Amino acid sequence: MISTTSKNSVDIDLSRVRGEIQALQPQLVEWRRRLHQRPELGFKEQITSAFVAQKLQEWGIKHQTGIAKTGIVATIEGKRNRGQGDKETRGQGEEFSIQNPKVLAIRADMDALPIQEENEVPYRSQHDGVMHACGHDGHTAIALATAYYLSQYRDDFAGTVKIIFQPAEEGPGGALPMIEAGVLKNPDVDAIIGLHLWNNLPLGTVGVRSGALMAAVELFNCTILGKGGHGAMPHQTVDSVVVAAQIVNALQTIVARNVDPLDSAVVTVGELHAGTAHNVIAATARLSGTVRYFNPKFEAYFGQRIEQIIAGICQSYGATYNFEYWQLYPPTINNAGMAELVRSQAAEVIETPVGIVPECQTMGGEDMSFFLQEVPGCYFFLGSANPDKDLAYPHHHPRFDFDETALGMGVEIFVRCVEKFFS
Ligand SMILES: [Zn+2]
Ligand SMILES: [Zn+2]
């Protein structure tokens, strides 16, 4: 345990935090725009990764590159626990306790999307068909500035901070390979925080809550195999279009009739392809869709229930089917203590508790969820929309952009969380 004596010996001047971070704002904007101009898709973040590594190198921050291809982990050791009697190591089987933390991780994703940018800004994407349309350029800049700040003020925190720069959040997912590569080990991470710039919330607000913040993401493909023929002679066929129509309707009953109304879930059929001509009965129909839910109890449920409905309908119409199901990301679930840490520090930064939005759940998904399955943590939304500046397009829109004022707020929340976490 950190002793009371050493705890009292640290006086963190939090008013200083804001001033120093405000001074970083021009660099934050510069780094973010530089990254925005050079967006890269998942696992191809070579330029991005090289830029991050170059900055860490410049600042003398210990880091490891090439984790899960383009991922980087920076390690910043606070100096406060050196020579002050706080050197004990964690015992075998010791439970996580916010009172006895050693290592806090901060996670940022770095990848862009296959979207052609339509913004006419000087820093618009220079890579054809690729765009930072989700704000991960901002996440990388915030994490870099946080690393820089913490490396300058090592005396202010009594533990180790690992900053995880992760590839491929938009798919196929960089969190899991980074965990498999050992980023949460050696030293072992006790807790993790991360943020998403969020245009669904206005600048000056923070969405943070205990429990599920974002949903599980699963997807399915199904091909219905009927028997084709003449549009005027349906009795000689098994019409895959009719079978597909029944399936699409029946799948709606899973959420409406099988899922507890107090649980939230979505089953969306996003694709339905069949047929070639008005007078030809289609032999095959192909549909695909996505499933979302918050409650981990559904982990084994939807794939099995969807196939059950498809099988039953196909059988009753004389068709057969191929079915594939993938579980991409689990639900993103925040630890209560860590959510409270973020909430309290965010409230300091935005200077009003009114700006804390607990009803900020979304059926969108995030592979931050894999980190949160391993260690307690909190993922939160940092409001970044500003309609007055025409910065309110939704994420993944070709005109997505955000109010860069949020960058400094993100750094300040991270820094305050670090200092509070180890205090
Ligand atoms: Zn996204
Ligand atoms: Zn995103």
Side-chain angles (χ1 to χ4, degrees):
M1 288 289 284
I2 293 165
S3 71
T4 315
T5 329
S6 65
K7 189 173 175 176
N8 289 344
S9 72
V10 171
D11 263 333
I12 299 159
D13 177 10
L14 285 178
S15 65
R16 190 211 67 227
V17 174
R18 175 157 297 182
E20 297 290 334
I21 289 167
Q22 270 172 359
L24 279 175
Q25 184 68 15
Q27 279 105 301
L28 266 166
V29 170
E30 185 197 317
W31 300 335
R32 181 264 161 161
R33 293 185 177 189
R34 184 194 164 100
L35 294 164
H36 190 87
Q37 284 181 305
R38 299 164 179 84
E40 298 168 293
L41 296 177
F43 292 125
K44 294 180 180 154
E45 304 92 339
Q46 304 290 352
I47 301 169
T48 308
S49 183
F51 175 69
V52 169
Q54 179 212 319
K55 286 287 166 199
L56 295 171
Q57 187 74 32
E58 233 171 73
W59 303 328
I61 297 172
K62 195 162 79 181
H63 62 282
Q64 196 188 337
T65 60
I67 307 168
K69 295 194 176 141
T70 49
I72 296 180
V73 177
T75 305
I76 303 154
E77 283 161 19
K79 280 187 185 162
R80 194 174 78 73
N81 61 349
R82 291 192 195 128
Q84 292 186 23
D86 291 345
K87 271 187 172 172
E88 80 225 62
T89 51
R90 207 160 25 156
Q92 284 289 318
E94 188 177 326
E95 294 276 305
F96 164 76
S97 153
I98 289 182
Q99 276 74 48
N100 189 24
K102 296 290 188 292
V103 183
L104 177 66
I106 294 173
R107 174 271 203 175
D109 43 12
M110 303 188 289
D111 58 318
L113 286 153
I115 293 173
Q116 182 65 43
E117 176 156 14
E118 288 176 12
N119 287 317
E120 294 299 334
V121 289
Y123 52 90
R124 75 194 297 263
S125 169
Q126 294 172 352
H127 294 175
D128 250 9
V130 186
M131 177 190 175
H132 270 296
C134 202
H136 300 187
D137 48 348
H139 303 169
T140 307
I142 289 170
L144 263 180
T146 304
Y148 174 75
Y149 182 94
L150 292 174
S151 73
Q152 298 298 303
Y153 291 96
R154 291 173 193 259
D155 290 337
D156 287 350
F157 59 99
T160 297
V161 178
K162 271 190 183 179
I163 302 195
I164 299 172
F165 296 89
Q166 182 212 299
E169 189 284 322
E170 300 285 4
L176 200 53
M178 284 199 91
I179 293 167
E180 284 165 359
V183 298
L184 296 177
K185 303 273 167 217
N186 192 28
D188 291 359
V189 169
D190 292 296
I192 189 163
I193 52 176
L195 65 77
H196 207 302
L197 291 161
W198 206 236
N199 267 15
N200 299 306
L201 289 175
L203 182 73
T205 61
V206 170
V208 57
R209 71 192 309 281
S210 171
L213 181 81
M214 301 180 81
V217 181
E218 307 186 345
L219 68 88
F220 60 92
N221 281 341
C222 176
T223 305
I224 295 142
L225 307 164
K227 187 177 161 200
H230 198 295
M233 301 166 199
H235 56 294
Q236 297 171 350
T237 74
V238 173
D239 189 344
S240 68
V241 170
V242 170
V243 176
Q246 302 288 335
I247 289 171
V248 172
N249 278 330
L251 292 182
Q252 309 310 310
T253 67
I254 301 176
V255 173
R257 302 289 91 175
N258 301 138
V259 170
D260 183 335
L262 298 179
D263 275 312
S264 301
V266 178
V267 176
T268 289
V269 177
E271 281 184 284
L272 176 53
H273 306 280
T276 52
H278 72 278
N279 57 355
V280 175
I281 286 173
T284 62
R286 189 167 58 79
L287 50 93
S288 76
T290 187
V291 169
R292 308 294 170 104
Y293 58 84
F294 291 128
N295 194 329
K297 77 177 179 189
F298 290 124
E299 197 185 5
Y301 178 69
F302 282 95
Q304 169 262 329
R305 179 67 184 137
I306 289 170
E307 182 166 14
Q308 196 179 39
I309 286 174
I310 291 170
I313 290 173
C314 282
Q315 196 207 5
S316 65
Y317 286 84
T320 56
Y321 67 93
N322 293 322
F323 181 70
E324 294 170 298
Y325 199 83
W326 293 272
Q327 296 184 296
L328 301 186
Y329 299 162
T332 301
I333 298 176
N334 287 336
N335 168 274
M338 291 303 293
E340 177 50 30
L341 171 77
V342 169
R343 194 205 59 74
S344 64
Q345 299 314 300
E348 294 284 326
V349 173
I350 60 179
E351 291 175 330
T352 160
V354 182
I356 299 291
V357 188
E359 57 285 351
C360 55
Q361 281 177 305
T362 165
M363 283 291 173
E366 245 295 333
D367 73 351
M368 176 73 179
S369 52
F370 287 110
F371 289 112
L372 295 172
Q373 279 188 331
E374 298 295 317
V375 290
C378 178
Y379 196 58
F380 62 98
F381 295 129
L382 180 57
S384 56
N386 190 342
D388 294 345
K389 295 186 193 167
D390 199 25
L391 298 170
Y393 284 94
H395 293 258
H396 296 204
H397 189 283
R399 288 192 183 280
F400 173 82
D401 201 352
F402 58 85
D403 192 319
E404 290 165 328
T405 313
L407 297 171
M409 299 172 86
V411 177
E412 192 175 352
I413 294 171
F414 277 159
V415 165
R416 282 176 184 260
C417 282
V418 167
E419 295 182 354
K420 185 77 181 171
F421 185 76
F422 292 119
S423 70

